[in-house]
Amino acid sequence: AIEGSVKLAAVDGLIFENNYIHDTRGVSRGLQFSGTNMIVRNNLFERVARTVIYFGKSSNSSITGNTIR
């Protein structure tokens, strides 16, 4: 089962900020994106079952200031 993850595709200009992602199960990723001009910053990830942050086909995007526990 895939539970507890955030998945967004073909996005442009997304800012994903100040979120709390936790207690995912199964084969889920904490956060999965594909797109352009995205920023993932200042989020807290706790007890994520698999890959915490995954950028698929993405360009001009950044990951900064996140906490993984």
Side-chain angles (χ1 to χ4, degrees):
I2 297 176
E3 300 177 21
S5 61
V6 176
K7 183 175 182 177
L8 301 167
V11 296
D12 184 18
L14 175 75
I15 298 175
F16 191 83
E17 178 176 43
N18 299 320
N19 296 285
Y20 178 42
I21 307 296
H22 59 93
D23 298 302
T24 65
R25 297 182 208 158
V27 297
S28 68
R29 294 179 166 117
L31 185 58
Q32 181 174 349
F33 289 108
S34 65
T36 57
N37 305 309
M38 299 178 297
I39 299 169
V40 176
R41 67 179 172 215
N42 302 328
N43 298 287
L44 173 58
F45 296 88
E46 289 188 313
R47 298 174 302 279
V48 174
R50 197 172 153 205
T51 306
V52 176
I53 301 172
Y54 177 79
F55 272 173
K57 294 182 180 179
S58 301
S59 62
N60 197 33
S61 299
S62 66
I63 302 170
T64 184
N66 297 284
T67 300
I68 300 168
R69 297 186 197 159

